[in-house]
Amino acid sequence: MRSNTVKTRLAAGEIVVNAWLSIGSSYSAEGVSHSGVHSVTVDLQHGMMGFSEALHMVQAISSSPAIPLVRVPDLNPAEIMHLLDAGVYGVICPMISTPEQAAELVAACRYPPFGNRSFGPSRGLLYGGKDYVAHANETVMAIPMIETAEAVERIDEILAVEGVDMIYIGPNDLAFALDGNVSFPRPRSEAAIKTVIQAARKRGVPVGIFCADAEDAQARHAQGCTLVTPGNDFGHLTRSMAAAVDTLCATLSENTPSQAAHGY
């Protein structure tokens, strides 16, 4: 079976740079996946796409060395299994607050006897290889998102669930839950993030986190997160375009004679 290089990098303590796609386009997914990132997450929770678009995006990502991941809208085993059948190698599930929910996520990602994933690998065989079913349980990643007050309180129980391959911190929802808003400073949620990272490191469970940009990703990596997501595609696109417009307008303003000089 095709190896999951995200798992091998995490096991070796190496950084994983993860792209995040909210635009439903296989073309942009293909371009981003060839940018040098180690993994690409298709966001079905807040992204502007459905399953059909996500399938095309996963196919585009598969043309690159990057590992295809997905964030599902919620803890829906049938939808999780469908996306795994489409060939994704890891499922990030939002709003996991209890060990029971974490166990349900793991079960949806594992074939019997370690879970209840239904047989029907479809595209998984094409992407993973003919021995996909024999090795999927050890290759596919189950990744709970930690972004509620209860999840922080019960983090040791969640981390103890067998089959949790990584946890992924959602700092913005955590800020809503603990600080009441997403504005900085975020004293309570930042303290909670440190608590979660420390607990995960004690258990030997890797930590991923969504970041505002590359600078934020560097700081989170220094804090102990091994997988970092330096913003999403829409944010990079709009920031880059705005910066280009600002630069161009400033340059044109400096180099264009005033209207008064032309008698206007």
Side-chain angles (χ1 to χ4, degrees), residues 163-193:
V164 168
D165 296 292
M166 181 177 77
I167 57 170
Y168 191 90
I169 298 172
N172 292 319
D173 277 319
L174 202 53
F176 267 135
L178 298 177
D179 295 304
N181 58 69
V182 295
S183 302
F184 289 94
R186 303 171 172 180
R188 296 184 66 190
S189 60
E190 284 300 322
I193 288 171

Side-chain angles (χ1 to χ4, degrees), residues 191-205:
I193 288 171
K194 291 180 181 178
T195 297
V196 168
I197 293 172
Q198 289 171 355
R201 294 183 75 173
K202 286 181 183 178
R203 285 272 183 180
V205 177

Side-chain angles (χ1 to χ4, degrees), residues 136-250:
N137 283 351
E138 65 207 48
T139 304
V140 168
M141 300 179 71
I143 308 167
M145 279 197 80
I146 305 301
E147 50 188 351
T148 68
E150 184 178 7
V152 175
E153 292 171 3
R154 305 189 69 177
I155 188 60
D156 287 321
E157 297 173 78
I158 292 171
L159 291 166
V161 172
E162 188 174 356
V164 168
D165 296 292
M166 181 177 77
I167 57 170
Y168 191 90
I169 298 172
N172 292 319
D173 277 319
L174 202 53
F176 267 135
L178 298 177
D179 295 304
N181 58 69
V182 295
S183 302
F184 289 94
R186 303 171 172 180
R188 296 184 66 190
S189 60
E190 284 300 322
I193 288 171
K194 291 180 181 178
T195 297
V196 168
I197 293 172
Q198 289 171 355
R201 294 183 75 173
K202 286 181 183 178
R203 285 272 183 180
V205 177
V207 180
I209 191 168
F210 191 88
C211 309
D213 50 31
E215 184 178 3
D216 186 30
Q218 288 176 327
R220 292 301 190 187
H221 180 248
Q223 199 173 11
C225 298
T226 351
L227 182 146
V228 290
T229 304
N232 69 15
D233 54 350
F234 185 75
H236 284 291
L237 174 66
T238 53
R239 283 196 299 268
S240 177
M241 192 66 211
V245 170
D246 286 346
T247 300
L248 184 59
C249 287

Side-chain angles (χ1 to χ4, degrees), residues 51-197:
F51 176 82
S52 295
E53 291 161 304
L55 170 60
H56 296 155
M57 293 165 74
V58 170
Q59 290 173 312
I61 295 164
S62 300
S63 71
S64 77
I67 296 298
L69 309 176
V70 66
R71 176 167 72 171
V72 293
D74 57 9
L75 182 55
N76 182 327
E79 185 166 15
I80 289 168
M81 294 179 203
H82 198 194
L83 287 159
L84 289 172
D85 290 344
V88 301
Y89 261 33
V91 176
I92 300 172
C93 187
M95 297 295 176
I96 298 296
S97 299
T98 69
E100 293 78 15
Q101 291 171 338
E104 186 176 359
L105 169 62
V106 171
C109 294
R110 304 284 188 264
Y111 288 121
F114 304 107
N116 52 31
R117 180 181 173 187
S118 176
F119 181 83
S122 306
R123 191 178 170 276
L125 290 169
L126 293 175
Y127 176 70
K130 293 182 179 180
D131 57 348
Y132 175 87
V133 176
H135 298 288
N137 283 351
E138 65 207 48
T139 304
V140 168
M141 300 179 71
I143 308 167
M145 279 197 80
I146 305 301
E147 50 188 351
T148 68
E150 184 178 7
V152 175
E153 292 171 3
R154 305 189 69 177
I155 188 60
D156 287 321
E157 297 173 78
I158 292 171
L159 291 166
V161 172
E162 188 174 356
V164 168
D165 296 292
M166 181 177 77
I167 57 170
Y168 191 90
I169 298 172
N172 292 319
D173 277 319
L174 202 53
F176 267 135
L178 298 177
D179 295 304
N181 58 69
V182 295
S183 302
F184 289 94
R186 303 171 172 180
R188 296 184 66 190
S189 60
E190 284 300 322
I193 288 171
K194 291 180 181 178
T195 297
V196 168
I197 293 172

